[in-house]
Amino acid sequence: MSQLKTDVPIWRFRFVITVLMLAAALVGWRIIDLQVIDRHFLQNEGDKRVVRHSEVAATRGIIFDRNGEPLAVSTPVVTIWGNPKELINVQPQWPAIAKYLGVSPSYLAKKVNDNRTREFIYLKRHMRPDQAKPLLKEKISGIYGIDEFKRYYPAGRVAAHIVGFTNIDGKGQEGIELAYDHWLTGKPGQVRLYKDRKGRLVRSAELIKSAQPGKELYLSIDLRVQNLAYRELAKAVKLHNASGGTLVMLDVQTGEILAMVNQPVYNPNNRSRVRAGAIRNRAMTDIFEPGSTLKPFTIAAALETGEFTPSSLIDTSPGYMMVGRKTIKDHRNYGVIDITTVLKKSSNIGMTKIIQQVTAPTVASLLHRMGFGSDTGTGFPGESTGLLPLRSKWRATEEATLSYGYGMAVTAIQLTQAYGVLANKGKKMPTTLLRLDDQPDPSQVIPSKVARDVVKMLTSVVEKGGTGTRGAIDAYQVAGKTGTARIAEAGGYSEKKHHSVFSGLAPVDHPRVAAVVMIDNPKNKKYYGGEVAAPVFSKVVAGSLQLLGVSPDNSAALAKHGRDRSGNNT
């Protein structure tokens, strides 16, 4: 057998062998790199195809009243979602799915067909778990569930304007829910799921990060007082066929708001037919001219100058006077009366003559110190600052009208805060909607003697011969002031539309609460503050003082038989 000969040069053979060995070495190195050194790469590539991360909803913080009664809680719900690309293939099951969801088959069919190129659509948000469970047990391709939470408000309409509400995604939209959204919102957790390429679960979830619930929040309101205020205000608005109303009550010793209610109102648990005007918290956002309820502060400014005392005499004859082109009138000619009687009879002429001597800038300065013209610092969304004119020059008519509460505008919470200053011996407490654990530091805004003198003068308003006798309470001595302000409209003031107001505090010897009642545009025959708003104040404050455990004022109880409750108008 002959020996084969080759013409292949030896260098070429060696070159090929070298290339093959280098290639083998590179492949081997790559294998070692992927499997040992950089092994996470392949793991990540695999995870991209089978591993899914899902968010675990966090519970929103509970909102309580000051005594621990829940005002807003989160309840577990299930949201049903679908994958239209999968649902297209199970059309025979659509009628059954629609029945579980409580929708018509045609609605479901349209929704799936309109989104057939998508992989995610909501089918039903926030179903009760017992309603969603039967559908999910069917394990229909393309039907999935998400565990979520829905906000529920146990107090309903009673606390709606303070607490507010969240949207369907659990974000605060109004009230405390909005103001403290960052505090109430929890931090969601995360789980890892293993699914096949069609999105089907092949391994149970693994918890990666636990959800952290939102923080709890205690409000200053007392739900017992809030219920009482809500009930009495609603009755008064209905009785007088009014457009609306507001009531605010403040603990004068701490600055905490104990009750805040408005009419009209809404149900935060069912907002499908809510009118936009019913949602706003009128006590915080709506402004009105306070009328005669501002007179005590004009008098306080006069007393503060040292040129007046409660017994200083003012000549109001003949019952009317001209200021510029404006005629100012009293209900009758009161003649020469002291300042206490000016307040008791609510004399506009008396107030005009006082401010002419004191000057408008002096009164405006005191009003600013009392909190008018600026928000109360509660942080409530949309709170108005009101309107306080601070002019360098005042016309005579502007000066006169300021003295009895026109030409400026206040919110109900501002007016309540100001009466709280009078009740607290001239000390202004920071107003808050949150329950306080420590006593805040007050600021002295008017001399304590001036505040005490004004409060003493205000007691005469609810006694026999005063304009606010219907604001009196049998067991407690009350200091207060009525107000009836015509509502401004295009071209001037309406002759038929009024704000009926009563502002006051009790008990006089050791004041605990200050409150303001404002009835908006009562359309029946009665519209004076002493007739419409004062009775609401009397009922709510009397019941509230009992609920708060305030001992009756014996001197007031003994004097009750001497009080005339017929009332005079202002």
Side-chain angles (χ1 to χ4, degrees), residues 148-206:
E148 293 184 316
F149 292 95
K150 180 182 180 181
R151 207 63 163 161
Y152 174 67
Y153 303 95
R157 293 177 173 85
V158 174
H161 287 124
I162 296 178
V163 177
F165 57 84
T166 62
N167 62 13
I168 196 168
D169 294 316
K171 298 297 181 182
Q173 300 297 295
E174 290 287 342
I176 292 296
E177 290 277 32
L178 174 58
Y180 291 89
D181 186 63
H182 64 288
W183 178 269
L184 297 165
T185 300
K187 296 181 179 179
Q190 194 176 58
V191 295
R192 182 165 50 222
L193 309 172
Y194 293 90
K195 298 183 178 181
D196 61 18
R197 63 185 181 85
K198 293 184 177 181
R200 295 174 297 193
L201 184 67
V202 296
R203 192 188 301 179
S204 300
E206 297 176 2

Side-chain angles (χ1 to χ4, degrees), residues 114-159:
D114 289 348
N115 297 277
R116 59 191 309 134
T117 60
R118 301 175 62 185
E119 295 184 353
F120 179 95
I121 56 171
Y122 283 119
L123 296 177
K124 190 68 174 284
R125 297 295 301 271
H126 293 178
M127 292 183 70
R128 293 205 320 262
D130 62 311
Q131 294 175 331
K133 188 176 180 180
L135 172 58
L136 295 175
K137 284 184 67 176
E138 295 290 334
K139 296 187 180 300
I140 300 172
S141 178
I143 295 294
Y144 306 96
I146 305 173
D147 292 329
E148 293 184 316
F149 292 95
K150 180 182 180 181
R151 207 63 163 161
Y152 174 67
Y153 303 95
R157 293 177 173 85
V158 174

